[in-house]
Amino acid sequence: MAVEDELWKETIGGLFPQFLSFFAPDLAKDVLWHRGYELLDSELHQIASESEETTRYVDRLVKVWLRDGEERWILVHVEVQGYRDPEFPKRMFTYFYRLWDKFGRDIISLVVFSDPLRAYKPGRFFWEFYGCRLEYRYRTYKVLDYNDKELEKSDNPFGLVVLAAKRSLEAGEDEARKYRFKRELLKMLLERGYDRDEVRHVFRFLDGMLKLDREKERLLYEEFHREGVKAMPYVTSWERIAMEKGMEKGSLEEAREMVLEALEERFGVVPPDLEEVIRGREDRDVLRKWLRLAIRVGNLEEFRKEAGV
């Protein structure tokens, strides 16, 4: 799965109430948020075909409680589609009927099109054969359709998420434009007064969506650092820079702690045997390499393999 896809998936899962309030406020106002919500991605993947599992689409399945005369739970199926696919409507319908068959619950399907093709926004699956007919419609949203000024004024964190996705499409591989866009978005983010969790998720999204080369990332980091903005401990490029700077100046014990903190932030509890190996390492160059691995790899198993531990 591409980095952009992972960013969307993580941000939607981490800020689902905000996501639903931004894209489907009519539904969000009827959700009983105090009952919580449950991510059912594993159940969604169970009904996917082997080829679909290999492709790894950006999808989320969420269980929420709804009050519309009576309390009941429903399913919200979310897809982020970043490229043109002639089979996409069929896939949406296939997921719908498999979910309906498995759960027997009402299902609301939402699709966010994040691709650069303005005219591409298929919103229905249609089938007809010898007098038999079927039409399935789902809700669609296009990143490029949103107005910049409205996104900038939005008090919902997903306003900045969508704006970052738009800026990424506009900038392409132009480092100067990405630098300018990222700087503007970071300033907006830090001025909004969002809570820590909202800042963490939005920061990680726009940091990855507008990824800069190492030199420009350091320039941006230093600019904000001079203005009194500390690196946020969320394993973004800024944290990597801050950690590497700390590793250069700190003791061996501090270097070990940085590796462990990066692993804990990304993957949860570090197994005791792995922690023992890291705490016993005396080579600063190896610890620096392990820090980079801790930030880059996809899981602890991959870290063990590449680190040789």
Side-chain angles (χ1 to χ4, degrees):
M1 185 179 291
V3 173
E4 292 81 3
D5 297 342
E6 289 285 6
L7 291 169
W8 274 107
K9 192 163 189 174
E10 178 184 335
T11 309
I12 291 171
L15 298 177
F16 184 71
Q18 294 90 331
F19 167 84
L20 205 62
S21 295
F22 183 84
F23 287 103
D26 56 327
L27 172 60
K29 68 179 179 58
D30 292 330
V31 172
L32 299 174
W33 293 112
H34 69 276
R35 295 289 299 267
Y37 61 93
E38 184 179 354
L39 299 176
L40 301 177
D41 292 356
S42 60
E43 285 81 353
L44 183 60
H45 296 161
Q46 286 172 12
I47 66 171
S49 67
E50 185 175 342
S51 62
E52 289 167 343
E53 275 293 283
T54 302
T55 306
R56 295 289 302 278
Y57 296 107
V58 187
D59 46 31
R60 284 290 196 186
L61 183 65
V62 188
K63 173 182 175 180
V64 298
W65 287 85
L66 194 68
R67 193 205 319 272
D68 55 354
E70 61 176 326
E71 281 194 22
R72 61 194 179 98
W73 64 268
I74 64 166
L75 295 172
V76 181
H77 174 210
V78 179
E79 292 274 343
V80 178
Q81 182 70 10
Y83 60 95
R84 185 182 183 88
D85 180 3
E87 294 296 312
F88 182 77
K90 180 181 178 181
R91 176 158 60 87
M92 288 298 296
F93 173 65
T94 300
Y95 275 179
F96 172 81
Y97 75 69
R98 289 177 182 171
L99 289 171
W100 179 274
D101 183 58
K102 181 178 177 66
F103 293 99
R105 291 282 179 166
D106 283 334
I107 304 161
I108 297 174
S109 299
L110 313 174
V111 180
V112 179
F113 290 100
S114 60
D115 63 282
L117 305 172
R118 285 192 175 275
Y120 178 67
K121 194 169 70 172
R124 70 165 190 160
F125 171 76
F126 182 79
W127 171 87
E128 185 175 20
F129 188 70
Y130 281 90
C132 297
R133 176 181 297 182
L134 182 145
E135 182 181 30
Y136 169 61
R137 291 183 177 272
Y138 44 89
R139 299 178 62 157
T140 61
Y141 310 88
K142 187 80 173 184
V143 165
L144 288 178
D145 287 346
Y146 285 88
N147 179 272
D148 287 4
K149 295 299 183 183
E150 292 179 2
L151 293 174
E152 291 170 6
K153 292 178 181 178
S154 174
D155 58 2
N156 188 312
F158 259 87
L160 286 184
V161 169
V162 174
L163 190 56
K166 285 193 69 177
R167 293 292 185 257
S168 177
L169 291 173
E170 293 167 10
E173 298 302 318
D174 188 327
E175 287 289 322
R177 296 191 77 190
K178 284 196 291 184
Y179 184 97
R180 185 173 76 254
F181 289 154
K182 191 168 187 175
R183 182 178 181 277
E184 292 172 354
L185 288 168
L186 285 173
K187 283 186 175 294
M188 290 182 203
L189 173 62
L190 297 174
E191 292 170 354
R192 294 295 170 88
Y194 296 141
D195 64 36
R196 185 183 186 279
D197 201 44
E198 291 173 330
V199 171
R200 177 170 66 91
H201 283 289
V202 177
F203 193 101
R204 291 187 68 164
F205 184 88
L206 66 90
D207 181 56
M209 195 63 67
L210 292 165
K211 188 175 180 60
L212 300 171
D213 63 38
R214 195 177 186 85
E215 181 182 353
K216 283 188 168 53
E217 198 66 68
R218 281 183 175 271
L219 286 173
L220 189 61
Y221 170 85
E222 295 293 351
E223 179 181 346
F224 276 79
H225 193 66
R226 286 194 300 271
E227 295 178 9
V229 178
K230 295 181 179 180
M232 302 177 191
Y234 311 137
V235 192
T236 60
S237 61
W238 280 24
E239 187 188 20
R240 172 179 54 73
I241 292 169
M243 294 175 90
E244 289 182 353
K245 282 177 174 289
M247 184 168 285
E248 291 169 1
K249 299 177 182 179
S251 66
L252 277 172
E253 183 58 33
E254 290 171 329
R256 298 183 193 109
E257 289 296 333
M258 289 178 190
V259 176
L260 290 169
E261 286 176 11
L263 290 172
E264 288 173 1
E265 174 68 26
R266 297 201 62 206
F267 310 119
V269 177
V270 178
D273 66 313
L274 181 56
E275 180 178 354
E276 183 179 354
V277 171
I278 293 171
R279 290 194 183 281
R281 181 59 63 177
E282 299 288 339
D283 190 323
R284 188 183 298 274
D285 289 336
V286 171
L287 290 169
R288 186 177 291 108
K289 173 187 174 184
W290 285 359
L291 175 61
R292 295 194 185 102
L293 284 176
I295 294 171
R296 176 174 58 80
V297 298
N299 51 57
L300 283 174
E301 290 70 26
E302 188 179 347
F303 176 84
R304 286 181 184 273
K305 181 178 179 180
E306 295 201 28
V309 294

